Amino acid sequence: MKIAISAQETGWNAPVDPRFGRAQYFVVIDDTTGEISYIDNRANANAGHGAGPNTASLIADNDINVVITGNGPGGNAARVLATMGIGVFVGASGTVRQAYEDYKAGKLMRQ
Amino acid sequence: MTQYQTQLKEQFMRIAVASGKGGTGKTFLSVNLAKYLSQFRPIVLADLDVEEPNSGLFLKGELIAQEDRARMIPQWIPEPCTLCRECQYNCNFNAIIQAKNQIMIFPQLCHSCYACADLCPENALRMVPQKMGVLSRYRIDNLCFIEARLNIGEEMATPMIAQAIDYLDKNFSPDILQILDSPPGTSCPVIEAVKKADFVILITEPTPFGLHDLTLAVDTMKKLHKDFAVVINRYNLGNKDVEDYCAEDNIPIITRIANDRRIAELYSAGQLVYDKVDHFSKALGDIIDFLSLKTTVK
């Protein structure tokens, strides 16, 4: 399963970005292989309009199963993620590692 | 027998009443100026504050016509679609995206530019009308009142305003004076409302907020190369900063409407004030003189 965490940088120690559509990066963790990679979302992060749906489209293209973020996506992005069957967990903070551990421990809220 | 004198060409025929700050008196001035002038000549008042049109609260007229207004948004036809993503690339507003094997459309973000549909190589998108609001036309003696009202939940005011102005262009001869009650602020809806106006009255109040938003409105009007001047409402409140700013920038102040409890009382009861408060009638006279609007009755 592939988990994407909205972040301000890349890697385990990157700070979580509480925003979904305007996050610069998504750190991607494959929890079966333990592999870590990232999605570059900078083009969408700086969009004038519709950052949310475009980011959600990019998430879907990368075959992500679960998104972890802070505040949660807005209505348009949530519609795309729901249509694609992608789970959304909100309330993440601190580093990517912290957010991943919180998710594993069931501390994050499913939206 | 009365005859109306109309002065063509050399006078402003479409006057927008705008402000930076909300609640400074756009509707108050628009309805009263329109009703006052309608004693002397035919006039059209258009409420273009489509998100919350409230000129109609002060005008009890006969409904002459009413029509639904729609804007065009794309609709996806899955069969011919090859999922090439061309539509997503072509949309400047990210209103259409491809999510895996489907195309999703966000009408709230769509600016009805047709790029997605016209540039789709497979003709898999067609533009369809989506209702956005209602245009109503009322008559009150010599005054024709047009109200443009956006449906609740619609996010984009600009297309509704554009259609209301289009309606004015098509339904009234260019020698009938028009007053446009504009939306507040300095963003797209205001620009749409004033862009075809011959003159803009910026109404403000002599407070720090009034001044701050007036400077934004002035900058906007300068960028649009609009002829404009200022009316100060609730004069005697606040401070002199608005006047100092206008003097420094050589912006004419047409008139000052005194802060008056009677005006507030009448207005809050949904009444017109032009014929009830003398100093206000005089202020309206100042505006009419400034704009050389003919009120001569022969």
Side-chain angles (χ1 to χ4, degrees), chain A residues 19 21-25 41-48 51 55:
Chain A
R19 303 167 305 170
R22 297 193 183 277
Q24 304 274 319
Y25 301 96
N41 193 47
R42 284 177 294 181
N44 294 325
N46 300 321
T55 301

Side-chain angles (χ1 to χ4, degrees), chain B residues 98-117:
Chain B
Q98 183 177 325
K100 293 235 164 146
N101 59 353
Q102 59 177 292
I103 301 296
M104 294 182 76
I105 293 155
F106 302 92
Q108 316 92 295
L109 296 172
C110 176
H111 284 54
S112 309
C113 75
Y114 285 65
C116 60

